[in-house]
Amino acid sequence: MREDYTQYTDEELLIRLRDGESGITDHIMNKYKNLVRSKAKSMYILGADSEDLIQEGMIGLFKAIRDYDSGRDASFFTFADLCVSRQMYTAVQASRRQKHIPLNNYISLYGNVSGERDGEEEPLVNVLASGSGLNPEELVIDKENVDRLEMLIERELSSFEKQVLDLYLTGMKYQQIAKVLGRDDKSTDNALQRIKTKLRKAIKKSDADTPDSENVSHSP
């Protein structure tokens, strides 16, 4: 009769796995398959194939089982979450080297750009709309503005900032982004603030090239 592993913690099971007990790897892989599928759905907006992402995620999960060290790492769930995200994002980057992914695949513009310094939370689409003179819905729907936003992101952001923006748009918080990219929390949070500032300024500068004939000054 097969043993019921559900009564044990992941950490307890991994100790038994290291001692040579079989069946535990399959149990943990099955237990976390829904985590992998959930992450694949969020990463899909970056342009990779969903089934490929699931496969990459399962590879990341297997690596987490293989490499987890209870004396060094956090809980297995946290470690597995990191390994799966990192494996998937590596696959996304490899895929994007071969094809251009338009910005209108980004469906999470309504996520928050937040920072610890002032507790501010503001949807990215509002940040961008504030510099464009459009309301958020117009900014997202208008194809011309989407193309322009894509161009500004490519031109204004550093490689690290683009990576941060990619992962932010999948719904990750800056602490999770930091772990996936192997950076500290502060530098990642600072990158999010720079992204917001750079894009707002770039949109305002771009708009300044188009005079507003309706802008009339009034005397008091």
Side-chain angles (χ1 to χ4, degrees):
M1 182 177 178
R2 188 170 182 177
E3 183 174 358
D4 179 14
Y5 290 127
T6 60
Q7 60 185 308
Y8 301 102
T9 67
D10 296 331
E11 291 77 14
E12 289 171 335
L13 289 176
L14 287 167
I15 290 173
R16 293 170 61 173
L17 177 64
R18 305 290 184 258
D19 291 337
E21 187 170 336
S22 61
I24 292 176
T25 297
D26 288 343
H27 168 76
I28 296 178
M29 294 286 285
N30 186 64
K31 178 180 178 179
Y32 283 95
K33 66 182 179 183
N34 286 336
L35 170 68
V36 171
R37 291 183 179 279
S38 175
K39 285 192 170 293
K41 287 181 181 178
S42 67
M43 288 282 188
Y44 178 73
I45 68 172
L46 298 182
D49 180 83
S50 182
E51 289 302 316
D52 288 345
L53 283 174
I54 290 172
Q55 184 177 11
E56 291 293 335
M58 295 305 286
I59 292 172
L61 178 57
F62 178 80
K63 289 180 178 179
I65 294 171
R66 180 194 65 190
D67 298 336
Y68 179 72
D69 181 349
S70 60
R72 178 197 66 194
D73 302 309
S75 68
F76 176 74
F77 175 85
T78 301
F79 185 69
D81 184 85
L82 171 61
C83 290
V84 170
S85 296
R86 186 172 287 166
Q87 185 76 26
M88 285 185 178
Y89 189 57
T90 298
V92 167
Q93 287 185 306
S95 173
R96 291 177 69 177
R97 293 189 192 104
Q98 301 173 14
K99 60 182 179 179
H100 181 61
I101 306 301
L103 184 67
N104 56 5
N105 278 343
Y106 291 164
I107 59 175
S108 296
L109 287 172
Y110 285 91
N112 287 332
V113 175
S114 61
E116 282 194 328
R117 289 165 299 185
D118 53 10
E120 175 190 8
E121 291 194 0
E122 185 174 10
L124 178 60
V125 71
N126 288 349
V127 172
L128 302 178
S130 68
S132 68
L134 298 174
N135 65 44
E137 290 73 21
E138 288 172 333
L139 181 65
V140 173
I141 294 171
D142 191 299
K143 182 64 167 63
E144 181 179 345
N145 281 286
V146 168
D147 289 342
R148 180 175 64 154
L149 181 55
E150 182 182 25
M151 178 194 70
L152 292 175
I153 286 173
E154 184 63 29
R155 187 183 70 196
E156 300 292 335
L157 302 187
S158 68
S159 176
F160 173 55
E161 289 165 351
K162 290 173 191 174
Q163 289 179 320
V164 170
L165 180 59
D166 271 349
L167 293 175
Y168 160 77
L169 290 169
T170 70
M172 288 188 183
K173 302 298 184 183
Y174 75 88
Q175 297 96 331
Q176 295 170 303
I177 295 171
K179 289 184 173 68
V180 171
L181 297 180
R183 305 292 285 264
D184 61 87
D185 287 356
K186 183 173 178 58
S187 65
T188 305
D189 178 41
N190 288 343
L192 281 173
Q193 301 305 320
R194 289 197 305 273
I195 288 166
K196 179 174 61 174
T197 301
K198 284 184 176 182
L199 292 182
R200 177 185 281 134
K201 287 181 178 179
I203 289 174
K204 286 182 178 179
K205 184 176 184 300
S206 177
D207 284 344
D209 295 334
T210 304
D212 184 357
S213 58
E214 297 180 359
N215 186 15
V216 180
S217 60
H218 298 277
S219 298

